[in-house]
Amino acid sequence: MESVAHRERFAAAMTSITGKLPFGLSRVVAPSVVGYLLINLCTFFLDLALLAVFHGGLKLPLPVAVTLSYGSAGTVSYIANRVLNFRSHGPLGRQVPLYVVIMASNYFIFVLGLTNVLAAVGVFYELARVIAACCEGVYLYCSMRWLIFRDTARPAAAAEQAGAAEQAGATELRAAPESSRRASAGRPEQ
């Protein structure tokens, strides 16, 4: 019960923050975007802290340290986004393997690929990493929202559709002549 309260408070806070966005952004930015940015900003700092521990403190080779820190931060991101941000109840057996594939593709495309390409063409490596991080943020949000946690969009949409269909059926039934109402209710006409 306590975890439900945490989820609801998180959702209310993200909705409140979204409502206060300037320049009309509150009309186009979903609360899940704000939640994603907050969670992933925290996990980005976790990634950097773990990198410092693994490479700086434990003296692990850089590729190993980067992979461990990125994987750990990615795991925290998945859990926090699943529980707090998207409030998903989809099966882990489908979500986790898909998330691992998306995180691996993100790692190779953006973390290694785009960063190295930008640095090779003369962009400062720090700026190259920031640009790549922005691209990976969009990629990961879209992947989480429409692929991994896609079950979260359905309950509200399904409820709206069911409500609309029910209302349309009731309207049709009220507008129909008496003989049609009896026939649709399964009673024969007199």
Side-chain angles (χ1 to χ4, degrees):
M1 204 58 160
E2 184 67 26
S3 67
V4 172
H6 290 309
R7 289 182 220 168
E8 295 305 318
R9 281 194 297 267
F10 184 84
M14 296 307 104
T15 301
S16 175
I17 291 169
T18 303
K20 293 176 180 150
L21 292 174
F23 312 116
L25 290 173
S26 61
R27 291 188 297 266
V28 295
V29 174
S32 64
V33 172
V34 175
Y36 170 82
L37 290 173
L38 178 68
I39 289 169
N40 283 50
L41 183 62
C42 292
T43 58
F44 178 71
F45 288 123
L46 175 64
D47 185 359
L48 294 178
L50 290 174
L51 181 60
V53 169
F54 293 145
H55 185 64
L58 298 176
K59 306 292 184 212
L60 293 175
L62 188 58
V64 173
V66 167
T67 302
L68 288 175
S69 64
Y70 180 76
S72 300
T75 301
V76 171
S77 172
Y78 171 81
I79 293 167
N81 274 297
R82 176 181 163 86
V83 172
L84 295 173
N85 196 33
F86 294 103
R87 295 183 304 279
S88 174
H89 299 288
L92 290 172
R94 184 194 67 78
Q95 287 182 350
V96 171
L98 184 57
Y99 183 73
V100 168
V101 167
I102 288 170
M103 287 300 286
S105 67
N106 175 64
Y107 182 74
F108 290 113
I109 295 168
F110 297 109
V111 176
L112 295 179
L114 184 58
T115 302
N116 286 326
V117 167
L118 290 173
V121 298
V123 177
F124 290 113
Y125 73 91
E126 297 93 344
L127 180 59
R129 183 63 192 106
V130 169
I131 293 169
C134 291
C135 293
E136 76 179 272
V138 171
Y139 174 74
L140 288 176
Y141 174 78
C142 292
S143 296
M144 285 182 182
R145 173 67 181 86
W146 289 293
L147 295 175
I148 299 168
F149 302 124
R150 66 179 176 213
D151 67 300
T152 59
R154 290 189 180 160
E160 282 180 23
Q161 288 175 348
E166 216 173 90
Q167 188 176 14
T171 303
E172 286 177 17
L173 195 56
R174 280 193 304 267
E178 181 66 31
S179 61
S180 297
R181 278 186 263 164
R182 272 191 240 124
S184 67
R187 288 184 248 139
E189 287 188 44
Q190 295 175 349

